[in-house]
Amino acid sequence: MYKIVKREEMAHGTIILNEIEAPQIAKKAKPGQFVMLIADETGERIPLTMAEVNKEKGTITIIYMIIGKSTRLFATLKVGEGYKDIVGPLGQPTHIEKKGTVVCVGGGTGTAVLHPITRGMYEAGNKVISIVGARNTDYIIMRDQMDAASDELRICTDDGSEGRHGFVTDELREVLENNEVAEVVAIGPVPMMKFVSLLTKEYNVPTTVSLNPIMIDGTGMCGGCRVTIGGKTKFACVDGPEFDGHQVDFDGLMRRLQAYRVEEEHSDNCMFEKEA
């Protein structure tokens, strides 16, 4: 069992943070990598990118939004309880080097994935401008951590409750107009990453995105996480999860993410009925 040593509820309890004892994973984990978790014998394997790694304590931190049966099951776990199994670190780590000005764009829980990359870019000597988007101020996560890892932190909210009233792409365009940007890293909902990539292509700025397709084993065996990159098939679990945003077939990715929507809703409804 991988014991939970800290549990925190965010965004009115819809987003959950778990700090988990996993010393062997923490020892080797790098920014951009993920783990596969299973809550118990009845659960399924879920990939989540690590938001924090504490090598001294031997812990990893994950942050997830409750959106279906598996994450609902995760949310029932309390401090002192734990996950049945965790496998990792998996995937290719982020390539981090000093490049100049790097813009890190996060949306929703994607900000948790973005944070260790942002910190890595900052510690490598880059000027880091971070743009964080959320539906409203209550859904902004890891604000202090992102601020500490950035030269500038800019906030966007859908409802205008904080920062710019609008999309992260509106703020990003302003940054691109007024700065010589070496790279953009964007992590969040697929539509957000798509439109960020379309925008940066206009300015010919290299863009890295982290993809979240359906994933089963996380080791390249099942092929469930295949994505189309530059017209070629890649596996997000072993070739990614990060790719050149200008080469990603985002429309194909969105279609694949909807492939089991009916089954997912049925499974979630069955869990509700069982709880009732």
Side-chain angles (χ1 to χ4, degrees), residues 86-198:
I86 302 180
V87 177
L90 301 170
Q92 300 298 318
T94 307
H95 179 70
I96 294 175
E97 63 178 345
K98 187 174 182 179
K99 303 176 182 182
T101 298
V102 177
V103 182
C104 296
V105 185
T109 54
T111 302
V113 179
L114 186 68
H115 168 250
I117 299 170
T118 304
R119 184 174 58 194
M121 291 292 187
Y122 184 75
E123 291 175 350
N126 295 289
K127 176 183 177 181
V128 176
I129 301 173
S130 295
I131 304 172
V132 172
R135 67 179 70 173
N136 61 49
T137 189
D138 292 334
Y139 284 82
I140 298 169
I141 63 172
M142 304 198 78
R143 180 200 304 267
D144 292 343
Q145 294 93 327
M146 289 295 292
D147 189 34
S150 309
D151 293 280
E152 297 178 33
L153 175 61
R154 304 186 180 202
I155 303 293
C156 301
T157 50
D158 294 350
D159 66 352
S161 54
E162 185 174 348
R164 179 187 282 269
H165 184 185
F167 301 120
V168 293
T169 46
D170 299 327
E171 193 72 27
L172 177 59
R173 185 179 291 277
E174 183 177 298
V175 172
L176 293 172
E177 287 285 350
N178 294 288
N179 296 270
E180 185 175 340
V181 176
E183 182 182 5
V184 169
V185 181
I187 305 177
V190 175
M192 185 213 84
M193 293 190 290
K194 173 184 176 180
F195 287 107
V196 165
S197 297
L198 288 173

Side-chain angles (χ1 to χ4, degrees), residues 9-62:
E9 294 190 359
M10 308 172 176
H12 306 293
T14 62
I15 298 175
I16 308 295
L17 176 151
N18 283 166
E19 183 179 357
I20 307 163
E21 286 185 348
Q24 294 303 313
I25 297 174
K27 183 178 179 181
K28 296 185 177 181
K30 296 180 180 179
Q33 292 185 300
F34 66 96
V35 291
M36 299 286 290
L37 308 95
I38 183 168
D40 59 27
E41 292 83 354
T42 69
E44 62 181 340
R45 294 158 61 92
I46 296 293
L48 288 172
T49 305
M50 291 167 279
E52 291 271 13
V53 173
N54 190 316
K55 297 183 187 298
E56 289 71 31
K57 290 174 61 179
T59 63
I60 62 172
T61 298
I62 58 166

Side-chain angles (χ1 to χ4, degrees), residues 264-275:
E264 289 168 356
E265 290 177 354
H266 175 71
S267 179
D268 202 20
N269 289 337
C270 287
M271 185 173 183
F272 270 124
E273 291 171 3
K274 184 177 179 179
E275 290 174 347

